[in-house]
Amino acid sequence: MDSIPDPSNQRALRGSSRSPRSPGSASQSQKKVGKKGSQNSGLQEEKKKGRMNRSRGEEEMIEQLGHLDLRSSPVGVGTGLVFTEKCKEYSCLWDASHPECPDRLTAVMEKVEQYGLLSRCARAEERAATEEELLLVHSPEYVAQMRPTQHMGQEELQSLSDTFDSIYIHPESFRCACLAAGSVLQLVDAVMTAQLRNGFSIARPPGHHAQRDQMNGYCMFNNLAIAARYAKQRYHLTRILIVDWDVHHGQGLQYIFEDDPSVLVFSVHRYEDGRFWPHLQESDSTAVGKGKGEGFNINLPWNQPGMNDADYISAFQQLLLPVAYEFRPQLVLVAAGFDSVVGDPKGEMSATPACFAHLTHMLQLLAEGRLILSLEGGYNLRSTAEGVCACLKMLLGDPCPRLESPFSPCQSALDSISKTVAAHCKHWKCLQVLEQGQETGSCDLNPGPAVESDAVLDRSMREVMRGLPPARTGLVYDERMKEHHNMWDSHHPELPQRISRIFSRHEELGLVSRCQRIPARHASEEELALCHGTEHISRMKSTEGMKPRDLHRQSEEYNSIFISPQSYQSALLAAGASFNAAEAILTDKVRNAVAIVRPPGHHAERDSACGFCFFNTVALTARYAQRLSGRELRVLILDWDVHHGNGTQHIFEDDPSVLYVSLHRYDNGLFFPSSEDAGSDRAGRGRGLGYNVNIPWNASKMGNPEYIAAFQRVVMPIAYQFDPELVLVSAGFDAARGDPLGGCHVTPECYGHMTHMLQALAGGRVLIVLEGGYNLSSISESMSVCTSVLLGDSPPDLGQLTPPHPSAVQSLHSVLRTHRSHWSALRLAVPESVSSSLSTPSQKGQRTKAKKSPRQEVTPQKRSPGEDTHPLTPEGAATPDNSPSVSPAAVVTVADDSVDQITAGLQSVALGNSPENQTNQSPASVAVGGARRKVKPASPEGGGKGQRKRSGGGESSKGTPSTPGKTEVVELKESAGKMESTEPPSLPAVAGDEKETLLELASGWSTPLKSQSICEVFYKTQGMEEGTMFAVEPLPWCLHLETVNPLPAAGLDVFGPCRDCGSEAENWVCLVCYQVHCGRYVNQHMMEHRQSSAHMLVLSFSDLSVWCYGCEAYIHHQVLHDAKNAAHRIKFGENMPGLH
């Protein structure tokens, strides 16, 4: 086989141009169920319309997600191992004690057999690399010089060896070097043709020091360099990652690929400011590559010996993985030297074998698991052998071992990482997320004291070789939990079908048969009392015998709760099922588990039900696990539900034995549960200070880039340092793309990646418990991917990640500022000098043109079509064909304002869809479980429908937001005092707009008078007389202009009907997808199209004006001239005057 298809083309799970969210369904983005009589029949009617639209979106979502087939992956299964005794047939003829000796392979293979790993591997036949393959990297003259060494005598061999640095040559060296190179090629073939998933080549001599035309550092041919060139040539790969963790810098790899942007080389090595071999200035972090390859060589030099597990893992977590996600390799090759393992006489490092298991586990996130390790250095026989076995267990799919405590990177390591980040900031957008100029705080300046290596190896290998449970993944599910239902609203989003659809999808994909079924049970009242008060338990229990009228009255006493006669028993089953799953994990019956349960639990407070939740299932499970263990078991609760788990936070906020981390929409306190307690500054209290970590998003449409960045920068560094013994996931999937409540864009693949990362913790003891998620297709696919990853399948390809939303970056910075004092792993920052070097003076608001590497490889954008590329990202616009580049980033340059100032200013501004447009805050937001009320109830004297007041004077709803369909002139007569008042007035309603107001209430769409459009941030000098503003005055620029696509080949049909209703009156055309829909005074289909697709710019066929929904303004800009002129020519037979 000469080639294989690009795997990125085989996974087509991406959104269509329409998001399932529609104006009606968006009305449910708050979990607050309205009080009796609080909504009139008109609003209810509009909500029903929305549900119908949501059904249409549901069908599209099913079609989109149908492409994700977990049963037919192009990635192979099994782990290949190549070893040949022939590679032991050479040694140094003049120095019997030379460290690079045959005993290295003997020790490795003995350990592999001793631990029972050899029988679990697929043995691949060794072969020698051909001369043609050697010439992919090495010069013909060099190969010709090496071949005759097979027939030389000792004196001649020694003489030739002395011409190179750190070399000895034996008559068998040439043959063994060809076998070592060929062994890696065997694995490349097996992995790329899906015969195997991954592999390990155990051969010698090593190769990473070998250069094009000379031997160096025990190396004759550069095994991995040959493999990379071979993979590029035979399988047409365009992105290969080489990771070199050998303690010595692999300068040969650097020299060979330093001008090649298709191969990213990352090396972490001992350097000591050039005092450590190979004593090269090029080994420092400032060597970033040359010419076309600038930015594709990353050196992380350690400037002290004794670096430990925390140092290496921090380097991978904070530097390598973000860059690798941006690079998107199709194959990962590892120069696996184990001279950095504790006990090695050359390396003098303190990393344990377990550490290299974790590094291998991290690399399995990339290239859909296509990973090949090749033995390089390692000169303590036991350390090398244990390191190989630890990595091999990860390749075989065994759980990650626990690491040595305490886990804290030293200051020298943080300094080295920071310097490397600074050297590469301008090349990689992901590194620009780090905050600049912050104090790193105080860590230990030096690595820990020297330790007895055998004792460390003994402890580490006991954990690495910990016995495996008989089953890998447990699954608990019980149909009886479907009996909890809403008797008054059959369309309520917390449907019984949520769990049955998830379970059915698991069955369809063959996941249920691969899992160990765990029986469900009812939790006892004594167990409920672990987290809840007896009065609350009794009150919930009393609902079993209530009549419907009493149940409805009881429901109304809580925030967003419905109760049926079966609710109490269902909630007991949800808790008891999770208890059984946790017990199965802790008693080593299964490694990990999933609990498909309802009702959800994370909003439930100690003494109150809240947000669809009766009892806090995950909090109870944490306490149950601690009671089962008989001690304060360290538990990590990771909550990725789109809503903040207020109940979980309050239950554990003073408890240092439970680390609670929540990623959620916050919208500055306006998103459910509408409490300031969900802010990033709430870090716990008392003994629990620092053990509550909130990562709040202040805008909608957060997706894969934001969640992956949060995991890499915050979640995993803190979690590693906390060192949990059990991981519980409050797995709400309402941040998934298509969810009617969340308004976010996380894909099933991203949930798979987050699950894989969490498996590195607690020895792999992870329990995923269902919380929210209200698009039945999204939750079914998302939870299925999580289960698949728990079962050992490779995480699916994520696609190209765009830079995180500026608002998300600001949120991450806020979290880091809050928690740096508590967690030393977060004390990483880019020097302030780098910030100024990333920008050059330019007109305020203008972006520099995106730069491209001269030989960049352009790959298709795999972000959902409904998911906009966020404006003001470091690389601004994409490449001309809308395909982001894998090459290092160009940078936005804005004079006079720092990045932080701009993101702060944009926080409350429309970015695609403004947070206000997506929040859908209830008019009367009820305080949740003791949390401080953030949103005040609407005043009875507040005026018309839809008005609401925010604490601090944030917003009042307009009666008539300016939208396409009618030219309006609106006069706003306000005094300066009124403009500064805390309760700004609403715009007067236009006659006949009552229906539109109802629709806006149902969809949660409102426009704050006081907030500015994004265009106004950049154009403060528009001519507006005080007290009067004309809504028809167009803005000369807006950020959404970059979304405008070229005219379709068929041109425009200005007389075409609305594609939804067939109307030919007052139609508009979308300038992104060129669909035609009617305006707001016909059937509002263009408004609905905007809500569902997030396309902002539309052209009126009536007056040829262009409206931007995101900026809520008319726009006049040269980018729009082609569309306007084309429409004008069709209508009037001539070009539009005055365009130029």
Side-chain angles (χ1 to χ4, degrees), residues 794-854:
S794 297
D797 179 30
L798 262 185
Q800 184 73 47
L801 293 180
T802 58
H805 193 294
S807 174
V809 173
Q810 187 179 9
S811 293
L812 293 177
H813 288 182
S814 178
V815 176
L816 291 171
R817 283 191 288 267
T818 297
H819 284 279
R820 274 200 181 103
S821 60
H822 306 299
W823 304 99
S824 61
L826 302 181
R827 295 168 192 168
L828 181 69
V830 181
E832 193 169 2
S833 58
V834 175
S835 178
S836 58
S837 70
L838 291 177
S839 60
T840 55
S842 61
Q843 183 177 345
K844 183 177 179 181
Q846 289 186 345
R847 290 170 293 167
T848 59
K849 186 176 181 180
K851 297 186 292 183
K852 297 192 291 182
S853 169

Side-chain angles (χ1 to χ4, degrees), residues 867-934:
E867 186 176 357
D868 296 345
T869 300
H870 298 303
L872 279 184
T873 54
E875 201 177 14
T879 47
D881 60 352
N882 292 325
S883 301
S885 166
V886 300
S887 63
V891 182
V892 178
T893 56
V894 182
D896 304 324
D897 284 303
S898 69
V899 174
D900 280 345
Q901 288 172 321
I902 292 177
T903 54
L906 292 177
Q907 189 172 205
S908 62
V909 179
L911 285 167
N913 284 345
S914 69
E916 290 81 4
N917 290 350
Q918 297 293 330
T919 303
N920 308 325
Q921 176 63 36
S922 303
S925 182
V926 178
V928 177
R932 283 167 290 283
R933 181 178 278 118
K934 178 71 174 178

